[in-house]
Every structure is written in structure tokens, then in C-alpha cells.
Amino acid sequence: MSSFVISGKRKTYDLSALFASRKYSDLVQKKQKLDSPETPNGQYETYSFETGRMCVYRDCAPPGVDLYQLQNDLVTLPKKFYSKNKKRNSSHKIGQAQGGFTCAAGQQTPLVYGLNAPYRNKNELELLEHHPLIHKSIGKVLSYMWSVVREARPSESESMEQTSSELRLFDTGFTKYSIATNFQTEWHRDETNQKDGVQAVFVFGEFTGGDLCINSSCSSQYILGDVTKITCSGGTLFIGDYKSLWHTVSPILTGTRTIIAAYCREDVAKFDRVARQRGGIARALALRDQRIAARRAIEHIRNGLRNQWKSIDAQVMTDIEHEHTCRTQIDTFYKQLTAFATF
């Protein structure tokens, strides 16, 4: 082992023996453990079904996050954040909030290489600008969830990490997340998730009810004998094949149940695969930005012409009305003149 020597004013110390000692190595391991996210102690439940499986970790606690404060902050966010699925069930006071990347069609999604280009959700940008502490806490939770995903599903996490880092969140394999509080879902599958990936759902808060129900019959219908109910409490982390498993949540009876669901969308992963074959994701995103700028410029010109036409149209109508008024006055004058001539 090469020596490591430091010199002071009076003595020279050789620290090689210290670095080689067991005491020092234990300190290094302890420091590394403190620097890395703490994962559950390895005790978890696994449920296997015909179309996938579900891993359940209990009593999870993301380091450095006050979950009570985070839940309160999320619930008190402006209603504009909770726009998704708000109208699906009239009993929901708020819908779901989403962050990350999406390829949903719209003005902000031009075609690049024949596919809708991904863009960062407006909620994500709003959080970054106006609620940075909440965004930071969400990032810590996602990082913790990802550390467990890598241990529970190494093959799927490796596939998710193939997506370019420009489209992934907080150095994880997730490209998108959803947040909801006391949200009652219908039977569904998350079919937009990445084909060879998994979804993680972290549940926190104090509540009763809200258990995860999985229909092992591969049907969307509630068949009592085919439904597996997995109990849920604050600190439960689910990692599973939500894309292929029909699932819902039992009624939430009391309390406040908040979830953060993290996943990778298949359309984002597909766009990334195509982009990497056509010059890289940076070039693809630059093309996206250019086309968005061009579209906005055209829209600006179109709005200007539309406003100009409205102004011209209004002036023409004013002129027509003025002409009509003049004609009426002239007609009235001639009638009066004719009446006067008869005397």
C-alpha cells in the first residue's frame, strides 16, 4: 500500500496505517450508508398473478422528508394543479396532479420524427418556479422509491434507465409522477406505462380503508372470488406491473391518504429510442423547440391578422350604419320637403 504522509510544523505523520485499519473502513462504510438513501430492511411481500406481480414494502420512510408537512403542502396546492380526472367522479373535490414528461397531443407537442415530442408538464414548471421546497421533497421521495425499485426489479429498472437522462426525473428511471389525495379509482390498468418497466406507488398519511385490490381473473369486472386485497397503511410502497394488472382501491373510510405514483410512459420511451437512432435526444429536443417557436410565431401572426380583420370589419359595419343613418335622414328631409311643396 502506498504511504500517505502529511507534514506539520513540528512532526510528519504517516496515515497509511490508519487508512488500512478496520476502524477507518467501518467509518467509511458508515458514511457511505448515511450518504445513500436508506432502503427497507429487505422484508417485503410478493404477490404473483397470471399477468404480473406486486411487491409490497411496509413502514417506508424516505430520508430527509417530513411526510406530514409534505402531505399538508400537497393538499393545499392551488386547484389548478389537480386537473386530471377531476370530472371522472363527481364526489372528488380535487383530481390528480401530474409532473414530469408527457407526449399528450396539443399545441406544445409538435411532431418530430413522426412522433409527438415529449415536453415537461406545466405543473412541474409551476412547482419549480413557485413551490421549490415542495418540488425538492417530491424529488427526495422519488429518489427513495427508485432505490427500492432497483433492488426489487433490477431487470425492469435497467430498461427504464435506458431512457436518456434529459427525460428522466431526479436521476431516477421515472419520467412522470402522479399525486392524489383520497382519490377513488375505478377498475383500470395503466396501459400507457412503459412495456418493460414497472410502476411504484408510495402511500402516506393516517387513514383507514384504501387497500389495493387486484383482480387476478384478468377482468375489469369485480368478481369477489378473484379479487386479492392487499392491506395498506401509511408508509407502504407498492412496486408492480400496473400496466397489466387490473386494480383499484377500496373505499377510504377515514383520514387522509396521499399517494405519489412514479413510472415511465411508453410513448416517452419510444420517442427516446427513435431519437437516439436519429442523432440523439438533444437534437430531437432542439427540433421540438424550433417547431414550437415557429408554431407560436405563426399563431401570433394569425392572431394579428384576425384582430386586424375584426377591426376592418367593425369599421365597415360602422360605415354601413353611418350610411344607413344618412339615407334615413335624407329620406326624412325629402318627405318633409314634399309635404311642404303641397301647401
Side-chain angles (χ1 to χ4, degrees):
M1 179 178 179
S2 60
S3 62
F4 185 88
V5 178
I6 61 173
S7 297
K9 291 183 178 179
R10 297 183 180 179
K11 293 184 180 181
T12 299
Y13 299 89
D14 186 350
L15 302 182
S16 304
L18 173 61
F19 288 166
S21 67
R22 179 184 180 88
K23 182 178 180 181
Y24 177 77
S25 62
D26 290 344
L27 288 172
V28 171
Q29 291 177 5
K30 189 173 183 180
K31 182 179 183 302
Q32 290 175 345
K33 185 176 181 181
L34 290 173
D35 290 343
S36 61
E38 296 181 6
T39 56
N41 57 13
Q43 297 180 356
Y44 62 93
E45 309 155 26
T46 301
Y47 298 82
S48 297
F49 306 94
E50 292 182 11
T51 57
R53 57 194 174 99
M54 184 70 63
C55 297
V56 185
Y57 292 82
R58 308 284 183 180
D59 302 320
C60 298
V65 180
D66 184 340
L67 293 177
Y68 176 81
Q69 183 63 47
L70 177 58
Q71 185 181 59
N72 184 66
D73 290 340
L74 293 174
V75 170
T76 55
L77 280 174
K79 289 184 179 181
K80 64 180 181 179
F81 283 91
Y82 295 93
S83 57
K84 182 176 174 59
N85 294 335
K86 186 176 181 180
K87 297 180 180 179
R88 179 174 292 181
N89 190 325
S90 59
S91 66
H92 296 154
K93 294 182 180 179
I94 56 177
Q96 290 175 294
Q98 294 191 321
F101 291 91
T102 183
C103 294
Q107 292 184 350
Q108 67 286 345
T109 317
L111 289 177
V112 177
Y113 307 139
L115 299 171
N116 285 339
Y119 62 94
R120 194 179 284 269
N121 184 284
K122 64 179 180 180
N123 285 343
E124 181 85 3
L125 300 174
E126 285 274 343
L127 284 175
L128 277 168
E129 183 176 357
H130 301 293
H131 308 278
L133 294 180
I134 298 178
H135 188 264
K136 185 177 181 180
S137 294
I138 293 172
K140 290 180 178 179
V141 174
L142 293 181
S143 296
Y144 172 81
M145 293 166 65
W146 182 247
S147 67
V148 184
V149 169
R150 294 184 69 181
E151 292 186 3
R153 305 291 290 268
S155 176
E156 290 83 353
S157 62
E158 184 177 353
S159 297
M160 295 168 72
E161 285 180 329
Q162 296 300 314
T163 301
S164 299
S165 59
E166 290 89 341
L167 299 176
R168 292 189 278 117
L169 303 170
F170 304 102
D171 295 324
T172 71
F174 305 127
T175 63
K176 196 171 184 181
Y177 61 87
S178 298
I179 299 171
T181 297
N182 287 0
F183 191 79
Q184 189 66 50
T185 66
E186 306 291 341
W187 283 102
H188 69 285
R189 294 180 297 183
D190 297 302
E191 297 180 345
T192 60
N193 288 5
Q194 184 176 334
K195 289 188 295 186
D196 50 356
V198 291
Q199 178 173 314
V201 178
F202 180 59
V203 186
F204 56 103
E206 296 183 4
F207 58 90
T208 58
D211 298 325
L212 175 64
C213 301
I214 298 176
N215 195 330
S216 57
S217 68
C218 308
S219 169
S220 62
Q221 302 300 318
Y222 187 93
I223 304 174
L224 186 61
D226 295 326
V227 172
T228 299
K229 180 182 287 188
I230 305 174
T231 58
C232 177
S233 59
T236 302
L237 175 61
F238 298 97
I239 300 173
D241 300 305
Y242 284 85
K243 180 181 180 68
S244 56
L245 293 172
W246 284 97
H247 59 279
T248 188
V249 174
S250 66
I252 300 160
L253 304 177
T254 61
T256 307
R257 179 185 187 271
T258 299
I259 69 161
I260 297 180
Y263 47 95
C264 179
R265 285 179 59 98
E266 173 60 25
D267 51 6
V268 174
K270 181 179 179 180
F271 180 89
D272 180 70
R273 291 193 295 268
V274 173
R276 283 187 280 120
Q277 295 172 358
R278 303 279 293 272
I281 188 64
R283 181 172 181 270
L285 295 180
L287 286 172
R288 175 203 63 185
D289 294 340
Q290 291 173 8
R291 293 175 184 181
I292 290 176
R295 178 180 291 176
R296 288 175 178 171
I298 293 172
E299 189 64 25
H300 179 72
I301 294 172
R302 182 182 298 166
N303 288 337
L305 291 174
R306 185 181 295 115
N307 292 334
Q308 186 176 359
W309 172 254
K310 287 181 179 179
S311 177
I312 294 173
D313 189 52
Q315 184 62 45
V316 169
M317 291 301 298
T318 301
D319 292 343
I320 292 174
E321 291 175 359
H322 179 68
E323 182 180 358
H324 177 72
T325 302
C326 291
R327 287 184 178 277
T328 302
Q329 291 176 350
I330 291 173
D331 290 341
T332 302
F333 173 75
Y334 276 111
K335 286 180 181 178
Q336 292 176 350
L337 185 61
T338 303
F340 178 77
T342 57
F343 285 105

